Amino acid sequence: MARRKAPVVARWFAGEGDAFRLLGTRCSRCGAVFFPREDDFCRNPQCGDGELSEVALSPRGRVWSFTDGRYRPPAPYVSDPELPWRPYTLIAVELEAERMVVLGQGAPGVTVADLEVGMEVEVVSGVLHEDAETTWTTWHWRPLGVRA
Amino acid sequence: MTDEVAVLGAGMHPWGKWGRGFVAYGTVAARAALADAGVDWRDVGSVVGADTVRGGYPGYVAGATFAKALGWQGARVASVYAACASGAQAIATARAQLLAGLADVVLVVGADAAPKGFFRPAGGDRPDDPDWLRFRVLGATNPAYFALYARRRMAVHGDTLEDFARVKVKNAALGARNPYARYRKPVTGEDVAASPVVADPLRLLDICATSDGAAALVLSTLEYARRHGAPDPVRIRAVSTVTPTYPNTVLDLPDIATDSAAAVPPTGRAFRASIAHAAYEEAGVGPDDLSLAEVYDLSTALELQWYEDLGLCGEGEGAKLIREGTTAPGGRIPVNTSGGLASFGEAVPAQAIAQVCELTWQLRGVAGGRQVVGARVGITANQGLFGHGSSVVVVR
């Protein structure tokens, strides 16, 4: 039976292949951008009154910092305790247009040895984990020029 | 400037893994603080507890729990929660009651029995909770954030792994002289380098453990202190409990992203610096007036960051201070004379109170082998998850 694909969090990202994007919201009045998305009120205290509409974040940014997880994180992170723990990479990425830093896991195979602060990376679709019925999708950061 | 309140008594339960509940630890610390103050529990007008969140739901109501354990005597009660900053909020609540004339003497208690391993969010599916989301979506533990800051410092300021290890070596040497510390063995740079990497570039000995422990303070009005025979007590001159200013541009636990600075350029100080600045302003003192500081060294690298955020040096100069011994005993501004979280491990609701206990003992001149000669002004600094500032200025 084929698993259905579902995002780990609804409406945080969308699109396939090169069109994959993180989704935030932007205030119609002050232009503030929010990720994770704010859908009720603008959080800029000098504004607070605009309409929030969905906006795709820049697909590329530069590494602000990075690390990895050498030990299995606790729940609600999902991992199979029967399998040996395989460290994953976490990358904090600075988006120039939005002037913000967004965390994400590195694409599979990307290790801390592959990364430097300031390096250009792009957002790509990825798989967080799979269970019997569902492939849970997420976003990954991947250095430019690397193909999965 | 705000009026001062007196620190009449300070008490702790030793940090460690003792296998008992937080009530037992808190009661020991409370009794020690009352004995130190020479105040009868029945004369305490208010008790403020810093909450623990163990057990999967947010908060045993600590204030009433400790009041019951000490023996109900009808005192006014409050319980506060602000993650790692809970202790500072408990002190702030007590101070406000004293300055408002609602009580003459207040007991402040924080205690925790910490689980083994990584801190984790409370159970259940809670996709609207950023703390739940960062674990669910990213597996981003607390050490992961500490490591991101550490790597950033290495890239931007040229800090080295040896600089981080120097912080541990300094704090371990001080913790060895503190009977309340959990870890009381000196540590070498080689020990740090030989410990396993938890989150690159940080190793096990760069990261603070989670501990059981408790700390308590007896605070009073200056008038009560005088009547009580303490004409020259250690005094709390400022308590900063500020929140960040939008846009908060420093990635912080438990957030997955910073605020965007696209609409509003950041002005003024970043959050951690603003915590100390508010305390300095309220106290009417500055970094040059300090005899010592207790900062929240969740990681070795974070202690260096606090040097800069407290204004002990310029941005990017934190590593220079540890290299030159400026923050070591005998240096210009000793930091974490208690041994810090490196020697204690974190007992969340107790930790900010414990910082003030250390300053109290230092300013009384009774800190034994850790004593900073002639200490007159001390500051604590700490930050609680979700945007809670915490800084206390203590003077004598």
Side-chain angles (χ1 to χ4, degrees), chain A residues 65 67-68 88 98-99 101 103, chain B residues 139 148 200 256-258 260-261:
Chain A
S65 191
T67 183
D68 58 9
Y88 59 89
E98 291 83 359
R99 295 190 66 186
V101 174
L103 257 182
Chain B
L148 289 169
D200 179 274
I256 286 173
T258 63
S260 161

Side-chain angles (χ1 to χ4, degrees), chain A residues 11-96:
Chain A
R11 302 194 304 148
W12 277 21
F13 48 84
E16 299 290 331
D18 289 346
F20 181 84
R21 295 288 184 276
L22 288 169
L23 300 178
T25 54
R26 179 188 281 137
C27 174
S28 62
R29 185 153 178 251
C30 72
V33 176
F34 300 100
F35 181 83
R37 56 190 302 145
E38 296 286 347
D39 283 296
D40 295 328
F41 296 101
C42 177
R43 287 195 290 104
N44 173 4
Q46 297 165 45
C47 172
D49 200 25
E51 295 284 318
L52 293 162
S53 55
E54 189 168 282
V55 63
L57 302 188
S58 302
R60 291 183 181 183
R62 293 191 181 275
V63 174
W64 183 84
S65 191
F66 58 90
T67 183
D68 58 9
R70 302 286 178 100
Y71 293 86
R72 193 186 303 276
Y77 191 75
V78 178
S79 67
D80 184 346
E82 301 293 316
L83 297 178
W85 174 245
R86 201 166 53 87
Y88 59 89
T89 306
L90 275 175
I91 311 177
V93 175
E94 196 162 19
L95 304 179
E96 189 179 358

Side-chain angles (χ1 to χ4, degrees), chain B residues 94 106 190 227 251:
Chain B
V106 184
E190 291 73 32
R227 277 192 277 125
L251 186 67

